[in-house]
Amino acid sequence: MLCTPTEAAYYLNYKSPATLYRLIRDGLLDDYIEYVEGVLYLEMGSRGQRPTLEKRVRSLINFKGEHEMFMFDPKEEVSLQRVRDKFEQTRAAKLSSHS
């Protein structure tokens, strides 16, 4: 599953994508980056021996005790439901802005 850094930050329960952009800038997420029509996307799932993006990010940063990172894995139903919920929120916001 491909996501923009902003979408990935939401799915991982970050308030902003700043941490992801820092890790990208430092070359620590190169295995997860894909470009589609010039737009940067992050692969959220695992591939071969490579862990999910969530597990990779967790291994790279120090967590504050009060931050709860969502254990996002696109193969699990709870993660897919989070994607569906975000889609519905976005769709509802677009519909209400056009009214």
Side-chain angles (χ1 to χ4, degrees):
M1 178 177 149
L2 295 175
C3 294
T4 65
T6 301
E7 293 168 333
Y10 171 82
Y11 295 137
L12 297 175
N13 204 33
Y14 280 109
K15 291 181 181 178
S16 81
T19 298
L20 294 177
Y21 280 118
R22 180 176 52 81
L23 295 172
I24 290 166
R25 181 195 69 217
D26 294 344
L28 299 170
L29 298 179
D30 288 350
D31 291 345
Y32 296 85
I33 294 174
E34 290 191 32
Y35 287 92
V36 178
E37 296 180 8
V39 178
L40 183 141
Y41 287 92
L42 295 170
E43 173 59 52
M44 299 293 288
S46 60
R47 185 177 298 151
Q49 294 294 326
R50 186 188 76 184
T52 62
L53 179 67
E54 173 272 323
K55 289 179 182 174
R56 177 69 175 149
V57 170
R58 182 178 285 270
S59 74
L60 293 171
I61 62 173
N62 294 322
F63 283 92
K64 298 177 183 173
E66 67 272 2
H67 179 74
E68 182 67 34
M69 186 176 202
F70 183 75
M71 305 297 271
F72 190 92
D73 185 342
K75 295 177 185 171
E76 295 181 8
E77 181 58 32
V78 67
S79 296
L80 294 174
Q81 187 58 49
R82 190 168 174 92
V83 171
R84 288 190 286 274
D85 292 346
K86 177 64 174 173
F87 174 79
E88 289 301 322
Q89 287 175 346
T90 303
R91 189 175 79 142
K94 285 181 183 177
L95 290 175
S96 66
S97 70
H98 291 333
S99 299

